[in-house]
């Protein structure tokens, strides 16, 4: 068994163990109002961080590029209350246009 | 559905990157089927490709996988599934399925569950299909930037985040998280700046 197989199987086993462990923690651990509140705040923080990292960074570097134009158009679409597919497609079209032709 | 398609298309880049770093087509496909977490998979092939050991590759990928465990804690009381269904739910508990489910939660509980399963299976299908395509040498399509997909994904996450920002406190948390994640990116290993913002949310939630 070489390094490639060890990495493939080891990563897969731990990845599933982490996912399943999360699903197996007793429900009542999350029943207090403060924990419910926290539970609602976590996705706000994580989604914000995901947007930031996927817009402004590449390989651990902070970079401003065509993606910022795409995401800016998405912000504009959201302010104008555009439906979800319009938000995503307008971002993709803007980004691709700048990437390919500028 | 648009999240499933856009994210699934990243599978091409993963399949190509995996084979380019010395993994076989079979290993690339097994990573997508069994690990099924984009950031972890890119970390594994990246570390091995850069000459890292199997242990360091597994450790890096697992650090990134902690995020999915956190999502599991959030999703389990919302899905309320047992036995085999819980195993399937755990495997498709990733950024996209959790994000879509929490985004749909405001509409109704059934919309939330529907969003989780549909997105999870959708991303799983496209991710694996395109991993195979990428691994088999479709490297001409590997530049997802030319198709704008690298902007479509953050735009999709933004669309999910937007309806949740009704209170000023929530907006403040979003702004802090954005700046924190950007500031920490050059310092922390990939993925950790995202996870770390969850702890900001925990600190804020427990104080309020």
């Amino acid at each position: 068994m070489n390094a490639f197989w060890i990495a493939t199987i080891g990563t897969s086993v731990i990845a599933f163990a982490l996912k399943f462990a999360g699903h197996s923690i007793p429900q009542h651990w999350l029943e207090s109002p403060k924990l419910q509140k926290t539970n609602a705040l976590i996705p706000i923080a994580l989604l914000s961080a995901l947007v930031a990292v996927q817009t402004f960074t590449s390989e651990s570097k902070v970079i401003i590029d065509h993606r910022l134009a795409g995401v800016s158009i998405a912000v504009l679409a959201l302010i104008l209350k555009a439906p979800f597919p319009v938000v995503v497609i307008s971002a993709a079209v803007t980004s691709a246009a700048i990437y390919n032709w500028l | 559905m648009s999240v499933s398609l856009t994210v699934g298309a990243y599978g091409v880049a993963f399949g190509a990157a995996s084979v380019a770093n010395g993994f076989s087509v079979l290993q690339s496909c097994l990573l997508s089927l069994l690990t099924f977490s984009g950031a972890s998979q890119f970390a594994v092939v990246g570390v091995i490709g850069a000459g890292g050991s199997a242990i360091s590759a597994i450790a890096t990928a697992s650090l990134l996988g902690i995020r999915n465990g956190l999502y599991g804690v959030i999703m389990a009381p919302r899905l309320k599934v047992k036995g085999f269904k819980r195993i399937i739910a755990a495997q498709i508990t990733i950024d996209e399925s959790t994000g879509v489910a929490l985004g749909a939660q405001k509409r109704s509980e059934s919309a939330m569950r529907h969003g989780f399963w549909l997105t999870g299976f959708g991303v799983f299908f496209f991710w694996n299909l395109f991993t195979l395509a990428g691994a088999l040498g479709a490297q001409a399509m590997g530049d997802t930037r030319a198709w704008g997909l690298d902007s479509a994904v953050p735009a999709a996450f933004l669309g999910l985040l937007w309806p949740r920002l009704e209170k000023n406190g929530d907006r403040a948390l979003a702004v802090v998280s954005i700046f924190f994640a950007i500031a920490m990116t050059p310092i922390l290993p990939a993925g950790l700046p995202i996870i770390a913002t969850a702890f900001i949310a925990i600190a804020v939630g427990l104080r309020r």
Side-chain angles (χ1 to χ4, degrees), chain B residues 1 4-5 7-9 11 32-33 36 92 94 117-133:
Chain B
M1 204 58 210
S4 303
L5 276 171
V7 177
S32 283
L33 283 165
F36 188 49
I92 63 166
I94 52 168
W117 293 108
L118 190 69
T119 307
F121 286 129
V123 173
F124 189 82
F125 177 77
F126 287 112
W127 180 249
N128 282 287
L129 186 72
F130 281 92
T131 294
L132 178 63

Side-chain angles (χ1 to χ4, degrees), chain A residues 71-101:
Chain A
V71 175
S72 300
I73 293 295
V75 171
L76 187 67
L78 285 162
I79 290 170
L80 295 173
K81 300 188 192 300
F84 188 73
V86 174
V87 172
V88 173
I89 292 168
S90 62
V93 169
T94 306
S95 176
I98 290 179
Y99 180 78
N100 289 319
W101 293 303

Side-chain angles (χ1 to χ4, degrees), chain A:
Chain A
M1 196 138 100
N2 61 25
F4 292 100
W5 273 115
I6 295 169
T8 300
I9 294 166
T11 300
S12 296
V13 168
I14 296 177
F16 180 75
L18 286 166
K19 288 172 178 171
F20 194 74
H23 275 266
S24 305
I25 289 173
Q27 239 171 277
H28 64 258
W29 288 15
L30 290 169
E31 269 171 10
S32 93
K34 268 195 174 176
L35 281 177
Q36 293 285 356
K37 177 69 192 163
T38 305
N39 207 11
L41 290 177
I42 287 172
I44 293 175
L46 288 175
L47 286 170
S48 303
L50 279 163
V51 171
V53 166
Q54 296 191 353
T55 305
F56 292 102
T57 74
S58 182
E59 291 168 355
S60 292
K61 291 191 195 79
V62 178
I63 290 169
I64 297 213
D65 59 17
H66 55 282
R67 293 172 298 171
L68 180 57
V71 175
S72 300
I73 293 295
V75 171
L76 187 67
L78 285 162
I79 290 170
L80 295 173
K81 300 188 192 300
F84 188 73
V86 174
V87 172
V88 173
I89 292 168
S90 62
V93 169
T94 306
S95 176
I98 290 179
Y99 180 78
N100 289 319
W101 293 303
L102 282 187

Side-chain angles (χ1 to χ4, degrees), chain B residues 3-30:
Chain B
V3 171
S4 303
L5 276 171
T6 50
V7 177
Y10 269 106
V12 173
F14 171 72
S18 181
V19 169
N21 283 308
F23 284 78
S24 67
V25 172
L26 175 64
Q27 287 163 342
S28 307
C29 289
L30 283 176

Side-chain angles (χ1 to χ4, degrees), chain B:
Chain B
M1 204 58 210
S2 48
V3 171
S4 303
L5 276 171
T6 50
V7 177
Y10 269 106
V12 173
F14 171 72
S18 181
V19 169
N21 283 308
F23 284 78
S24 67
V25 172
L26 175 64
Q27 287 163 342
S28 307
C29 289
L30 283 176
L31 276 169
S32 283
L33 283 165
L34 302 175
T35 300
F36 188 49
S37 187
S40 296
Q41 292 176 230
F42 272 109
V44 171
V45 302
V47 171
I48 294 276
S53 67
I55 297 296
S56 62
I58 293 168
T60 309
S62 300
L63 274 174
L64 295 171
I66 292 171
R67 189 169 80 256
N68 293 324
L70 192 58
Y71 293 149
V73 175
I74 298 167
M75 289 313 300
R78 291 172 162 84
L79 293 172
K80 300 186 183 82
V81 286
K82 297 241 178 288
F84 183 68
K85 268 186 118 176
R86 182 187 282 184
I87 291 173
I88 300 299
Q91 180 64 351
I92 63 166
T93 300
I94 52 168
D95 290 337
E96 293 78 16
S97 56
T98 307
V100 168
L102 296 176
Q105 188 173 262
K106 290 185 63 123
R107 266 180 286 147
S108 72
E109 207 167 296
S110 71
M112 184 262 298
R113 290 207 187 102
H114 188 70
F116 176 84
W117 293 108
L118 190 69
T119 307
F121 286 129
V123 173
F124 189 82
F125 177 77
F126 287 112
W127 180 249
N128 282 287
L129 186 72
F130 281 92
T131 294
L132 178 63
L136 286 175
Q139 291 180 0
M141 268 182 67
D143 189 0
T144 52
R145 293 173 294 183
W147 301 83
L149 293 181
D150 54 345
S151 293
V153 176
F157 283 123
L158 196 61
L160 299 170
L161 172 66
W162 202 262
R164 306 181 70 81
L165 302 177
E166 283 177 349
K167 294 185 213 135
N168 280 333
D170 296 342
R171 289 188 195 123
L173 175 63
V175 171
V176 168
S177 301
I178 286 168
F179 280 102
F180 181 86
I182 293 171
M184 289 299 126
T185 290
I187 302 163
L188 297 175
L192 289 188
I194 297 169
I195 303 161
T197 61
F199 294 97
I200 299 176
I202 291 168
V204 171
L206 294 182
R207 266 191 61 217
R208 271 190 199 167

